[in-house]
Amino acid sequence: MKAVILNEAGGVENLQFAEIEKPVIGNDEVLVKVVSVSINPVDVKSRAYEGVLNWIFEEKRPAILGWDISGEVVETGKNATDFKEGDEVFGMVNFFGRGNAYAEYVAAPAAHLALKPQNITHQQAAAASMAASTAYQALVDVAKIKEGNKVLIHAASGGVGHFAVQIAKHFGAYVIGVSSGKNRDFVLSLGTDEHIDYTTENFHEKVQDVDIVIDTLQGKTLSDSVDVVKENGIIITLPTPEIPEDVADRAGQKKVNIEFMMVQSKKETTEAIAGLLGQKVLKPFVYKTFLFEDIAIAHLEVETNRVAGKVIVNL
C-alpha cells in the first residue's frame, strides 16, 4: 500500500511516499480502507520537531504520522464484533501513540472508532475526530459543563474552537468566542452569544465572571484568562503542560483552576461525537481539502495558524 513515512523531523520535504506492506490486524482491531484524514497541529509539530516526534514515536523509524481517519471497514478481528466489512467508520486512532493514519489502510482498535453518520461526508467525519474529541473531553469530562455556564473560547474559529462553541451551546452555556475580525461572522454562525475580535479588543477588559475557559494558545492569552475567571472556575489549556509559575501563582490566589488536558482515544467520546453529528448538533467546517500527493501542502496550510475549521486530505 501507499503511505507517507517520516525518518526524521524537519520540513515538509521529509514527508516521503513509500510502498509498504498492508498492516496485519489484531483480534481487537479492524482494517480500514481510508478515504479521508485530517491534519492537526500535532501532526505538524510531530513532523517539524524531533523532540515531539521522539516523544510520541520514541526511536521507532520510519514513523507514519496522523490519527484522524474516515473510511470503510475491509476486515475485522475476531473480537471486533461491533463492526462488519463494508461499514463506514471514523475516529481518532491510538492517540497518544502511533496512529499510522497517512496510509491507504489503517489497523485501528475497534474501540477507537464509531459508525459514520449517514448525513455527513468522510471529509466531515475525519474533521470531527481529534478536534471534536478534544473539545468534548475538555468541556464535558474535565470542566463538567452545566447549563447556564459562561464559557470563553479562544481561537473559536479554529479546529478545536469551532467544535467547542457548538458543544458548549448544546449543553446550554452562554458562549463568548474570540477570533480575528475576518472570522467574526463564522464564529457567530456557530451559535456564540458574543464575539471578541482579538486584533482590536482585549478580552480581559470586556469579560468577567467566566466559569470555563478553553485555551488553545497559552502565553499572554492564558495569563490574561486568569483575570476573567470567577472563583472555582476552570481554565483548560491544551498546548503544553508547562504552566508559567507566575500564572499558576496568580490562579492559586484567585482560586482559579488551570488544568492541562491531552485528548485520548476513547470509545465513549467517539460515539458521543457520532451522536451529535447524526443529530446535526455538530457541523464540521472543512476549510480546505487536498489530494494525498499534496499532503505536504496541507501541512503548510495548517502551519499558517490561520485555518478556520479543519484541513482535510483525501486518499
Side-chain angles (χ1 to χ4, degrees):
M1 69 172 183
K2 189 182 291 185
V4 175
I5 63 173
L6 187 68
N7 282 301
E8 61 182 54
V12 292
E13 67 278 1
N14 288 14
L15 295 169
Q16 301 292 321
F17 283 88
E19 286 289 333
I20 64 172
E21 292 294 317
K22 268 201 291 193
V24 176
I25 59 171
N27 290 337
D28 299 310
E29 293 181 321
V30 299
L31 187 66
V32 180
K33 188 178 192 315
V34 179
V35 175
S36 298
V37 300
S38 94
I39 311 297
N40 292 290
V42 70
D43 298 43
V44 170
K45 290 175 184 174
S46 301
R47 186 217 77 229
Y49 302 111
E50 197 66 38
V52 180
L53 189 64
N54 282 331
W55 184 39
I56 299 174
F57 291 88
E58 300 167 340
E59 299 300 324
K60 297 168 186 170
R61 298 290 186 275
I64 301 176
L65 299 180
W67 291 271
D68 288 354
I69 65 168
S70 186
E72 182 181 323
V73 174
V74 294
E75 188 184 342
T76 61
K78 70 177 185 181
N79 298 334
T81 55
D82 287 349
F83 303 109
K84 64 184 185 303
E85 190 177 324
D87 281 346
E88 293 184 323
V89 295
F90 78 103
M92 177 180 68
V93 180
N94 281 330
F95 196 82
F96 179 79
R98 298 170 73 93
N100 299 333
Y102 293 2
E104 290 182 285
Y105 294 89
V106 171
H112 295 172
L113 302 174
L115 290 171
K116 180 185 77 65
Q118 292 298 304
N119 61 306
I120 64 166
T121 65
H122 283 293
Q123 292 75 32
Q124 291 172 312
S129 296
M130 182 180 288
S133 294
T134 301
Y136 188 91
Q137 289 179 10
L139 288 166
V140 179
D141 298 350
V142 179
K144 314 292 187 192
I145 190 170
K146 299 190 298 290
E147 185 175 358
N149 279 163
K150 185 187 281 191
V151 180
L152 176 67
I153 298 170
H154 294 291
S157 61
V160 172
H162 90 289
F163 286 119
V165 168
Q166 295 174 74
I167 291 167
K169 286 304 297 180
H170 173 65
F171 279 91
Y174 181 92
V175 180
I176 305 161
V178 183
S179 78
S180 65
K182 73 182 179 68
N183 289 320
R184 177 182 182 274
D185 289 346
F186 172 55
V187 171
L188 290 171
S189 77
L190 299 169
T192 50
D193 298 284
E194 287 183 48
H195 176 266
I196 295 174
D197 177 359
Y198 73 84
T199 67
T200 60
E201 303 170 288
N202 293 320
F203 73 88
H204 63 291
E205 294 175 355
K206 299 193 68 172
V207 181
Q208 58 186 1
D209 293 329
V210 170
D211 297 287
I212 301 167
V213 174
I214 302 297
D215 165 42
T216 58
L217 302 166
Q218 286 205 339
K220 190 173 189 304
T221 299
L222 174 60
S223 178
D224 287 348
S225 292
V226 173
D227 298 331
V228 305
V229 179
K230 64 170 61 170
E231 187 173 308
N232 297 318
I234 187 169
I235 302 170
I236 299 168
T237 188
L238 303 172
T240 170
E242 296 170 6
I243 311 300
E245 193 173 329
D246 63 315
V247 175
D249 287 346
R250 277 199 303 117
Q253 289 164 14
K254 280 198 68 183
K255 296 183 180 175
V256 168
N257 301 306
I258 300 179
E259 295 279 353
F260 167 71
M261 191 207 83
M262 184 162 61
V263 67
Q264 293 178 301
S265 296
K266 290 182 184 176
K267 184 178 184 65
E268 55 267 37
T269 304
T270 308
E271 289 185 342
I273 297 300
L276 294 175
L277 291 166
Q279 297 164 38
K280 301 182 180 180
V281 169
L282 276 189
K283 295 177 182 175
F285 181 72
V286 176
Y287 181 68
K288 285 185 183 178
T289 60
F290 295 88
L291 298 173
F292 195 36
E293 52 262 40
D294 294 327
I295 198 165
I297 304 172
H299 266 242
L300 293 173
E301 188 71 55
V302 173
E303 230 166 17
T304 66
N305 294 320
R306 290 292 178 266
V307 171
K310 296 290 296 173
V311 168
I312 300 299
V313 171
N314 293 320
L315 279 77

